Amino acid sequence: MAKFQLQENETLIGSGMMAYKHKKSPASQPTRGTIYVTNQRVCYYESWSNYVYMDLPLSEVAGYDTNRALFVTFVYIYDKNNTRYAFSGFPAKKLQGWLEQVGVKKLDR
């Protein structure tokens, strides 16, 4: 399993612990890990295994959307193939700012 490392000429914009809900989870429970937003890509690594669930160059990110359920804010990141990556956690508002900072636009869905 890989550990997150910055690539050449890459700058970390922000990172934080978040939960990721993926479709292939047998227990249908979200996994816990760290999301990284850099000036070149957006990545999500699971905490206990360092499994890479998402490693998208910014050119492949179509945008993001948000939704609230009770007190929880969900951030959905979409790639160019319309694959949806669902994240939740305390850094949700910061994640939105990091995405805007690197030019990822909020979608109207």
Side-chain angles (χ1 to χ4, degrees):
M1 299 300 154
K3 186 172 182 175
F4 178 78
Q5 293 184 347
L6 290 172
Q7 298 173 350
E8 189 175 329
N9 298 321
E10 187 173 34
T11 303
L12 183 65
I13 303 301
S15 67
M17 294 290 291
M18 297 195 82
Y20 168 59
K21 178 70 173 129
H22 55 97
K23 295 177 183 177
K24 297 179 182 177
S25 172
S28 72
Q29 294 292 325
T31 183
R32 297 170 201 245
T34 304
I35 192 159
Y36 301 92
V37 178
T38 75
N39 63 330
Q40 296 177 13
R41 60 192 171 131
V42 180
C43 309
Y44 180 81
Y45 287 65
E46 186 176 55
S47 293
W48 67 274
S49 69
N50 278 327
Y51 183 80
V52 181
Y53 281 96
M54 180 179 67
D55 190 346
L56 291 174
L58 292 179
S59 62
E60 292 297 313
V61 178
Y64 77 94
D65 194 12
T66 61
N67 190 17
R68 278 186 66 90
L70 296 175
F71 300 106
V72 180
T73 300
F74 292 87
V75 177
Y76 304 107
I77 298 174
Y78 295 87
D79 69 10
K80 298 282 184 177
N81 297 321
N82 211 30
T83 302
R84 183 178 86 166
Y85 301 89
F87 299 96
S88 64
F90 289 113
K93 294 213 183 275
K94 289 183 181 180
L95 174 58
Q96 294 172 62
W98 300 330
L99 292 171
E100 292 282 340
Q101 189 175 343
V102 296
V104 176
K105 300 297 181 194
K106 187 169 183 176
L107 303 172
D108 293 322
R109 293 194 180 244

